[in-house]
Amino acid sequence: SAERRLLDSPSRLLGLCKAHTYRTDIPMAGFVFGQSLSSIWHWCADQMMVQRTMAARSLSHAQGGCLLASVVKSTLLYVFVMPGMIARVLYPDIIACASEEACEKACGERSGCSDVAFPLLVMRLLPEGVRGLMVAVFLAAIMSSMDSIISSTSTLFTLDVWQPIRRGKASTKELLIVGKVGAGIVVALSVLWMPLIQAINGGGGFYYIQI
């Protein structure tokens, strides 16, 4: 098949390390410098991460939490890659779709079907009770991340935008109300933003994160 010839072609090996004109979607220089800076910002300066660290009981707890998070993070390569590899082997017609038309027919996205790899494994391989458990795990993870993001956004807007506007005259009750309203606005804007995510690059979530 065309996909097999592509994988077997020696000219395609180590494409990431070749000139930037070879792989316009993943240029080597852009990946090394861009992703490195993005990762440093996310793990060291993101308000959500900083706020969680500052909520620790003590300095030793904060340091231990950061070290534990780094250890857990080092395993995510296998968590991200292995399910996709397994799904690609078990369901090549869906996950390994070779053309935009085939991908759109298989999962409704022209950019690829990698986003459905893990849900496909859950729905087709796990028994019914375990499926429900996995759904509960997903919901818990989403809620844990969302409440941190909303809390951080509310804090930033209240302390860095509203309080300077009020020149320090805002009461605690006023700041609390503004924070809740700001959080609600952020949630509403996030919902309205979803069609744009779906429209970018065929709806691929991973590609949108890299933008």
Side-chain angles (χ1 to χ4, degrees):
S1 63
E3 182 184 12
R4 174 52 57 187
R5 291 195 300 271
L6 177 65
L7 294 176
D8 292 340
S9 175
S11 62
R12 293 288 181 176
L13 300 179
L14 299 177
L16 182 64
C17 301
K18 296 182 179 180
H20 69 280
T21 55
Y22 183 80
R23 288 288 301 274
T24 56
D25 55 340
I26 311 178
M28 183 63 177
F31 178 79
V32 172
F33 296 104
Q35 188 62 39
S36 298
L37 293 175
S38 176
S39 297
I40 292 174
W41 163 79
H42 178 71
W43 292 107
C44 301
D46 191 311
Q47 169 66 14
M48 183 179 68
M49 302 297 178
V50 173
Q51 184 167 300
R52 288 187 174 188
T53 304
M54 294 181 66
R57 292 182 178 180
S58 62
L59 177 61
S60 60
H61 279 78
Q63 292 172 334
C66 291
L67 290 175
L68 178 60
S70 65
V71 173
V72 175
K73 179 66 175 178
S74 64
T75 65
L76 291 185
L77 173 64
Y78 305 99
V79 175
F80 288 156
V81 174
M82 292 304 295
M85 295 176 64
I86 295 172
R88 186 182 179 90
V89 172
L90 295 180
Y91 311 108
D93 295 336
I94 300 177
I95 306 303
C97 50
S99 64
E100 293 184 351
E101 291 75 14
C103 293
E104 186 175 17
K105 182 179 180 180
C107 64
E109 295 184 4
R110 297 179 63 86
S111 60
C113 295
S114 57
D115 286 347
V116 303
F118 189 74
L120 193 64
L121 293 177
V122 172
M123 296 303 298
R124 295 194 179 184
L125 298 182
L126 297 181
E128 292 185 0
V130 181
R131 289 182 203 168
L133 179 62
M134 290 302 299
V135 171
V137 170
F138 283 141
L139 292 177
I142 292 173
M143 288 188 291
S144 175
S145 299
M146 287 301 299
D147 69 353
S148 299
I149 295 172
I150 294 173
S151 176
S152 299
T153 305
S154 175
T155 301
L156 289 172
F157 178 78
T158 303
L159 299 181
D160 295 344
V161 177
W162 186 260
Q163 199 167 30
I165 292 176
R166 295 282 288 152
R167 297 182 180 180
K169 298 180 180 180
S171 63
T172 303
K173 183 178 180 180
E174 179 182 347
L175 294 177
L176 182 61
I177 294 175
V178 170
K180 291 181 178 180
V181 173
I185 293 175
V186 169
V187 173
L189 291 176
S190 300
V191 174
L192 295 176
W193 196 262
M194 291 177 64
L196 180 61
I197 299 177
Q198 186 67 26
I200 292 178
N201 210 349
F206 180 78
Y207 289 101
Y208 178 79
I209 295 174
Q210 309 308 310
I211 297 177

